[in-house]
Amino acid sequence: MRSIGVWPNERTFLTIFERVRHIEDGKRLAEKVKEQQGLDLSIVGAALVTMFCRFSSVSDARDAFDKIPEKGIPAYTAMMAGYVNEKKPKEAIELYHALQQSNLPVTNTVLAIVLGACSNLVDSDEGRAAHYTAIELGLQDDPVVQNAVATMYAKCGGLEEARAVFDAMEIRNVDALTWSSLIGVYGSQGKTDESLRLARRMQHEGMILDGNCFANLIFSCANGRRDAEACRFFMDMRSDYGVVPGKEHFGCLVDAVGRAGHLKDAEDLIKAMPMQPDEHVWSVLFASAQLHGDAQRIQRSAEIMMKMNPQLDPLGTGANRTAARWEEARKVRELMRKRGIKKEPGKSMITINNVVHSFMARDRSHIHTKEIYAEVDRITEICKKEENYIPDTRYVLHDVPEDQKPKLLYYHSERLAMAYGHIATPPGSALRVIKNLRVCGDCHTISKMWAKIMQREIIVRDNRRFHHFAKDGTCSCGDYW
């Protein structure tokens, strides 16, 4: 075209951008856009953003976005969606706020994207604000928005709100993702019966259960001590629905069987997988072996995981130390040091007034550290006197004298987050904490006591599930997680 004097226009570039298969070609085309005079950059720029996001290059996408002189809705939605897909929800929400400050309209697609970002961040306050915006704009009955709102509330642990939005929708407008999300979140909170009822209703409404739904159903059964039903769903998905089990289905079934104590069956299931088991599947067996104290399977599964991914540190994160095998733990630590491996630190986050506060164990970086530690100590003493709390020092993963171990438990990251939430929010309001690692047994025990003493609902999402600690001192998981 160029050689015969025909210059590409916006449609030409849009057509080519859709067909680019290598990011280097995309970068060369971006240079061509710069050379071309008279192009409508609000159109071409948005297409460039979409293309770079397709290659997961959000930095290039953001550079292209920033160079658009008059940004329109397509550019904003493309960039926000790119951030959400790359697990950068904060950046997506910041861009949404920038859009709100412009003269551009907030569309149903924009709201769906920002609600998805809130789901990833588990920020119910920001998500609730987006829901209110939808109501103000008259978009609360839009199917795209309704599905996004229901999914957001479900993933943020707000089951009552999620179910209210779901029940208000016309069933024909509920997409499979919303059904599946609700099934999965009921399961993550130990409400297996509700998950199964929802699945039956889904079938009654003529919806087809897909692979994602079956993964969530098996996961729900795993969390509800229903290993036999998990096995039945696993068998039925192929024979009755033609859904071929994937790694996620095997992982959920291994979890269900292993946590129920059938460790040999769980390991045999891994060995029978038609595809190569990955480190996640072995980590599920590893966790079950830890739960039931099977030292041989702990060691065997950990070694397999480390061969698959030398950056992993399964034995160094508690298995050896919980069993008081300190010499083995030291050897693992030394091996990690030589390999340059850094263990991911435990971290808990709580959002207050749209500000995320992050804590690590024994963290003293917060501006209100003095008040936070005083509150932890105060509530811990009440737990000892009124609830007969005795620290379970088996969960102390440091080789220190026995009399020093309780203090190490007192200042775990989720307790610091809960204490700050208690002093920084109105009495009786719910506290929502996100934790990147599994809640330890001692923190689980005392969190139930904290909820009872504070008279607050405390919702903790760890890397496995939700824990709803109720004001009566119980947890939604039924102490099975």
Side-chain angles (χ1 to χ4, degrees):
M1 287 175 64
R2 300 280 294 270
S3 68
I4 63 172
V6 180
W7 293 93
N9 60 16
E10 292 84 359
R11 184 178 293 277
T12 309
F13 279 112
L14 265 59
T15 301
I16 299 173
F17 289 157
E18 290 176 356
R19 287 157 177 76
V20 171
R21 294 293 176 266
H22 303 284
I23 190 169
E24 293 307 319
D25 291 336
K27 290 181 178 180
R28 283 193 286 272
L29 281 167
E31 291 301 317
K32 297 293 184 186
V33 170
K34 290 180 185 178
E35 298 169 6
Q36 181 77 37
Q37 299 294 320
L39 288 175
D40 186 343
L41 292 180
S42 65
I43 297 175
V44 179
L48 260 178
V49 172
T50 300
M51 180 194 68
F52 281 126
C53 288
R54 196 168 71 243
F55 291 111
S56 300
S57 181
V58 291
S59 59
D60 287 318
R62 185 58 193 251
D63 184 57
F65 176 83
D66 289 339
K67 290 177 180 175
I68 300 173
E70 294 184 14
K71 301 172 182 62
I73 287 295
Y76 274 101
T77 54
M79 192 67 246
M80 288 171 59
Y83 278 135
V84 173
N85 291 337
E86 292 305 308
K87 303 294 187 290
K88 294 181 180 290
K90 290 182 183 178
E91 290 84 348
I93 292 171
E94 287 172 1
L95 208 58
Y96 168 67
H97 291 159
L99 184 151
Q100 286 181 305
Q101 292 171 6
S102 71
N103 293 321
L104 296 172
V106 175
T107 66
N108 61 345
T109 304
V110 167
L111 286 169
I113 293 171
V114 75
L115 287 161
C118 296
S119 299
N120 291 336
L121 195 60
V122 195
D123 189 346
S124 61
D125 290 338
E126 191 74 55
R128 188 172 284 107
H131 184 194
Y132 292 157
T133 298
I135 294 171
E136 290 171 359
L137 297 174
L139 294 172
Q140 71 272 21
D141 295 325
D142 181 277
V144 172
V145 174
Q146 285 180 319
N147 280 288
V149 169
T151 302
M152 179 276 297
Y153 279 129
K155 290 187 176 181
C156 290
L159 265 179
E160 291 182 4
E161 295 102 323
R163 192 57 191 257
V165 175
F166 177 86
D167 289 340
M169 296 171 67
E170 292 186 42
I171 290 299
R172 61 186 176 85
N173 289 333
V174 183
D175 63 27
L177 177 62
T178 303
W179 284 100
S180 183
S181 295
L182 210 51
I183 288 170
V185 176
Y186 270 124
S188 72
Q189 300 192 13
K191 300 180 183 293
T192 304
D193 288 336
E194 288 295 335
S195 289
L196 301 184
R197 273 195 285 271
L198 208 56
R200 286 193 291 270
R201 182 180 171 190
M202 188 176 177
Q203 292 172 300
H204 179 74
E205 299 293 344
M207 298 287 292
I208 303 298
L209 274 65
D210 58 12
N212 195 33
C213 282
F214 275 108
N216 281 332
L217 281 169
I218 298 169
F219 167 75
S220 297
C221 291
N223 282 342
R225 310 186 194 204
R226 312 277 272 275
D227 52 299
E229 287 176 88
C231 292
R232 179 171 58 80
F233 280 122
F234 187 85
M235 299 297 291
D236 290 350
M237 62 185 286
R238 182 195 288 272
S239 60
D240 296 350
Y241 295 86
V243 178
V244 178
K247 286 183 182 179
E248 68 277 15
H249 303 100
F250 278 97
C252 291
L253 187 60
V254 168
D255 186 26
V257 175
R259 270 202 277 170
H262 309 299
L263 295 173
K264 182 180 183 304
D265 292 337
E267 188 170 3
D268 289 344
L269 182 63
I270 295 176
K271 294 176 180 177
M273 288 174 63
M275 70 288 290
Q276 182 68 31
D278 60 15
E279 63 192 59
H280 170 71
V281 175
W282 283 106
S283 73
V284 172
L285 179 65
F286 175 81
S288 294
Q290 280 188 303
L291 179 66
H292 294 285
D294 189 326
Q296 289 185 341
R297 283 193 172 85
I298 290 173
Q299 190 77 24
R300 185 161 60 245
S301 56
E303 289 173 357
I304 292 172
M305 289 160 61
M306 290 185 76
K307 286 180 182 178
M308 290 181 171
N309 183 356
Q311 298 298 311
L312 289 177
D313 171 32
L315 290 176
T317 56
N320 281 325
R321 289 172 288 175
T322 300
R325 295 166 63 183
W326 299 107
E327 187 57 36
E328 287 91 335
R330 289 193 188 95
K331 290 177 182 178
V332 171
R333 287 295 183 195
E334 180 62 21
L335 180 62
M336 288 174 63
R337 187 187 64 78
K338 290 179 179 179
R339 291 183 180 180
I341 301 172
K342 293 183 179 180
K343 174 181 172 288
E344 180 184 17
K347 183 183 296 184
S348 294
M349 294 172 287
I350 186 168
T351 302
I352 297 173
N353 295 327
N354 295 323
V355 177
V356 178
H357 300 265
S358 181
F359 299 88
M360 292 189 290
R362 298 179 302 284
D363 194 336
R364 291 187 177 273
S365 62
H366 198 278
I367 190 172
H368 296 296
T369 288
K370 184 177 180 181
E371 296 93 329
I372 292 169
Y373 273 70
E375 189 65 4
V376 170
D377 292 340
R378 186 184 73 83
I379 298 178
T380 301
E381 287 304 311
I382 295 174
C383 289
K384 289 179 179 179
K385 292 177 182 178
E386 298 184 6
E387 302 294 331
N388 297 316
Y389 167 61
I390 299 174
D392 190 343
T393 56
R394 292 177 303 169
Y395 294 99
V396 176
L397 305 181
H398 298 275
D399 189 10
V400 297
E402 195 65 32
D403 62 346
Q404 296 180 21
K405 290 182 177 181
K407 283 288 185 181
L408 296 180
L409 287 172
Y410 295 169
Y411 308 122
H412 275 189
S413 62
E414 56 266 56
R415 303 193 201 190
L416 298 178
M418 291 189 300
Y420 181 60
H422 188 47
I423 63 179
T425 61
S429 58
L431 302 179
R432 288 178 169 83
V433 176
I434 312 168
K435 183 175 172 65
N436 65 332
L437 302 179
R438 185 172 179 265
V439 172
C440 82
D442 190 70
C443 283
H444 190 271
T445 297
I446 203 167
S447 292
K448 293 188 291 183
M449 299 177 186
W450 278 43
K452 185 176 180 181
I453 291 166
M454 292 177 177
Q455 279 300 287
R456 291 177 183 263
E457 182 183 11
I458 302 174
I459 303 163
V460 177
R461 193 189 81 171
D462 66 10
N463 65 350
R464 292 179 65 91
R465 63 180 300 163
F466 279 96
H467 295 271
H468 274 239
F469 300 104
K471 295 178 183 179
D472 63 357
T474 60
C475 180
S476 60
C477 76
D479 299 336
Y480 183 79
W481 81 102

